[in-house]
Amino acid sequence: VQLQASGGGSVQAGGALRLSCVASGRAFGRYFMAWFRQAAGTDREFVAGISWDGGSTYYGDSVKGRWTISREFTDDTVYLQMNSLEPEDTGVYYCAASQWGPAWTSNPTGNLMDYWGKGTLVTVSS
C-alpha cells in the first residue's frame, strides 16, 4: 500500500490543523493505521492509531484529549485532527500502516509498522 500524507503547516500555539493520509494500492480496510511524529534530535514516537474498522482508537499520552484520529473508507483516508496545538507538537508527522494489528503497542517508535508515507511538517510557534 502507498501512503501520502498532507496537511502540515505553521500555526500558533492554541491553533489547529488536520492531517490527511491517503492510501492506495491495496485494500485499505485490512490495515491498522497510525500517525507518528519525529522532532529534531529525538526518536520517532507514536501519536495516534486506529483499528482496521475504525472501532478502536489509540493515543499517545501527550495528545490524549486534544487530538482525534479517524478514517473514511469512501476515500481510503485517515485523518488526524489536531486541536490546542503546543510548540512541543512541532515535528515531522508520518502515517503508517500495519497488517498485524496495533503494532505500536509493541514498539512505540513504529519499527514494526509495514508501510510508511513521506512526512508532513508541523510547526507550532509560541
Side-chain angles (χ1 to χ4, degrees):
V1 65
Q2 291 80 44
L3 304 174
Q4 180 65 52
S6 62
S10 297
V11 296
Q12 291 191 326
L17 284 172
R18 189 176 79 157
L19 304 184
S20 301
C21 175
V22 179
S24 61
R26 291 196 177 186
F28 176 64
R30 293 181 181 178
Y31 298 95
F32 278 60
M33 302 294 296
W35 290 94
F36 293 79
R37 70 183 179 192
Q38 187 165 23
T42 69
D43 290 335
R44 187 173 57 203
E45 65 171 334
F46 168 75
V47 172
I50 190 165
S51 60
W52 65 271
D53 63 352
S56 297
T57 55
Y58 311 75
Y59 296 95
D61 288 341
S62 63
V63 307
K64 283 180 182 176
R66 298 190 295 132
W67 298 4
T68 303
I69 187 171
S70 61
R71 65 192 300 167
E72 285 292 337
F73 294 94
T74 54
D75 56 7
D76 291 350
T77 302
V78 175
Y79 299 99
L80 184 65
Q81 179 65 45
M82 307 186 295
N83 298 328
S84 303
L85 282 161
E86 303 169 351
E88 293 75 21
D89 297 318
T90 294
V92 179
Y93 284 71
Y94 301 90
C95 66
S98 168
Q99 305 177 73
W100 310 112
W104 51 86
T105 60
S106 298
N107 189 304
T109 63
N111 289 343
L112 297 181
M113 301 300 286
D114 297 302
Y115 302 98
W116 289 87
K118 292 183 179 179
T120 184
L121 178 63
V122 172
T123 303
V124 184
S125 58
S126 57

